[in-house]
Amino acid sequence: MKPYGCRGDAAPPLGPLAPTLARATTFAHESAEALRAVGAGERPGEFYARYGHPAARAFESAVAEAEGCDGAVSFASGMAALHALFCAPLGEGPIAVARDLYGGTMAMIDKDLSRFGIRVVRFDPFGDLALPDHVRLVHIETPTNPLCRVVDVARVAEVAHAKGALLSVDATFAPPPLQRVCSLGADLVMHSATKYLGGHSDAIGGVLGGQHEQLAAIEGFRRRTGGILGPDTAWLVARSMKTLALRARQQAETAGRLARWLAGRKGVAAVHYPGLEGHPDFAVAKRQMELPGAMLTFEVLGGLAGAARVYDRFRVIGRAPSLGGVESIASLPLHTSHAMVPPADRARAGIADGLIRLSVGLEPYETLAGDLERSLSA
Ligand code: PLP
């Protein structure tokens, strides 16, 4: 038995139909030899909850199933998963990261990884992909936060693999079945499970999916550093995985309708949604995604003051950070996801002060369009 959940692990529909929740931190066995064999992974069974537990395994195997990869390793947050990705022993050499990443990921790279001797170089995932030699890991996000740019995963995978590097993708903005990045050439997929996988704004978690060889190194790192997802939260996100495909497709369909409506609305300066023909990555999104996601960003006239005026009038859409829940929420990237990013870097990335990021939930289209219309007509 692997210490993490694998594709095909899901129990046949006999016995309990919900995942098993064991809050136990430790598990007893019948003899010294039995305990030794379970601890060494030679015999199936639970050992110590920092090494794995039933609810984490249920969540991990559901992620592996949805992503179509060998298995998955879960963590206490998306940031803990990224920390493991960058620090686990996955080869030698520097890491190359895309310039367009979640602000928290950039902050960890700048403030923490550098202190531990991990060399990180940046590259433009939409440019000529000039990567240094001896790079061990190439990391991108798609769609990107907050402008929903879609990186051509197969193109980056080809270049990364030619350098002997692994490719990891933060796919938090579009979960399966909207995209399956491992089928496009990525070696590892990462999610903040806090977002779509959990889906109900009630659980913080993270996960890395991929092939057994890399997952063994990542699970060893998790065991040594202790960042595993706890049982109660793992149970919640395992339960949520059962409705992921339905939620994701419905939310993306509503987002597409709202994006088209916003694009024709007076007072909206720009709409960033990869399902719109004018989006720079429309063709890539069409090729590599089933649907272009349920995240969209729009820019109103009047900069930050204009955006805040519209934002403060929302009655249905929640004013909160985060994304991916069944309830629609909006944030101003300037104050939330990208508050940690220096102004010059924000300007270079095209993150305008008047940007509003909308995570479209499961409310009816008419309800959300009504809330936006009333707020924009202020
Ligand atoms: N990656 C992306 C794209 C995110 O948007 C976030 C959080 O907003 C994270 C990673 C970090 O996830 P968590 O908040 O679960 O640590």
Side-chain angles (χ1 to χ4, degrees), residues 19-357:
T20 303
L21 171 62
R23 291 203 179 91
T25 55
T26 191
F27 300 84
H29 295 276
E30 69 274 20
S31 65
E33 171 51 21
L35 187 58
R36 184 206 65 76
V38 171
E42 292 165 13
R43 189 177 151 164
E46 303 297 346
F47 185 70
Y48 180 57
R50 174 159 50 78
Y51 291 29
H53 54 80
R57 242 187 285 282
F59 169 58
E60 292 160 353
S61 64
V63 171
E65 206 70 56
E67 288 287 4
C69 49
D70 289 353
V73 179
S74 64
F75 292 88
S77 69
M79 292 315 298
L82 285 166
H83 176 237
L85 172 67
F86 298 142
C87 297
L90 294 171
E92 301 289 328
I95 298 173
V97 302
R99 284 196 322 200
D100 304 75
L101 293 182
Y102 166 57
T105 311
M106 292 207 260
M108 172 170 56
I109 288 168
D110 292 342
K111 291 198 188 324
D112 300 303
L113 295 193
S114 57
R115 292 189 301 116
F116 294 100
I118 297 173
R119 272 214 307 130
V120 180
V121 294
R122 290 178 190 208
F123 72 98
D124 178 3
F126 305 102
D128 63 3
L129 303 182
L131 299 174
D133 286 334
H134 314 300
V135 66
R136 67 178 166 94
L137 179 73
V138 176
H139 179 71
I140 59 171
E141 237 176 62
T142 189
T144 63
N145 183 4
L147 293 179
C148 304
R149 294 289 313 265
V150 178
V151 179
D152 185 337
V153 176
R155 173 173 172 262
V156 183
E158 199 181 324
V159 176
H161 293 158
K163 293 269 179 193
L166 297 168
L167 173 64
S168 58
V169 178
D170 181 338
T172 296
F173 261 45
L178 305 187
Q179 62 175 357
R180 285 191 177 86
V181 297
C182 291
S183 72
L184 301 168
D187 302 286
L188 290 154
V189 57
M190 177 267 158
H191 286 276
S192 162
T194 315
K195 312 300 190 305
Y196 289 98
L197 307 193
H200 296 72
S201 309
D202 58 7
I204 293 260
V207 68
L208 290 168
Q211 303 151 12
H212 288 308
E213 191 185 337
Q214 286 83 40
L215 294 177
I218 289 167
E219 190 278 326
F221 181 85
R222 180 182 72 175
R223 192 181 282 219
R224 294 190 294 278
T225 51
I228 193 170
L229 188 62
D232 289 272
T233 315
W235 190 92
L236 279 174
V237 293
R239 193 260 313 261
S240 292
M241 287 301 292
K242 298 183 183 196
T243 55
L244 174 63
L246 278 175
R247 286 185 281 111
R249 286 189 175 120
Q250 181 57 50
Q251 290 174 221
E253 204 227 310
T254 309
R257 289 179 72 190
L258 288 173
R260 286 189 290 280
W261 175 78
L262 277 169
R265 175 66 170 74
K266 221 171 88 226
V268 175
V271 182
H272 306 277
Y273 182 70
L276 295 178
E277 276 193 34
H279 188 281
D281 309 314
F282 175 75
V284 180
K286 212 170 171 59
R287 199 166 64 235
Q288 72 178 31
M289 299 179 78
E290 181 190 295
L291 287 169
M295 294 298 300
L296 65 93
T297 310
F298 63 100
E299 206 178 315
V300 296
L301 301 174
L304 176 60
R309 252 194 316 277
V310 173
Y311 189 72
D312 289 349
R313 286 178 61 87
F314 291 148
R315 283 194 198 144
V316 177
I317 299 165
R319 280 174 288 276
S322 200
L323 61 119
V326 294
E327 48 294 290
S328 294
I329 53 179
S331 60
L332 305 182
L334 180 65
H335 290 167
T336 53
S337 61
H338 287 64
M340 289 172 275
V341 179
D345 288 356
R346 269 202 311 265
R348 183 208 41 77
I351 301 168
D353 290 354
L355 222 50
I356 299 177
R357 191 186 79 178

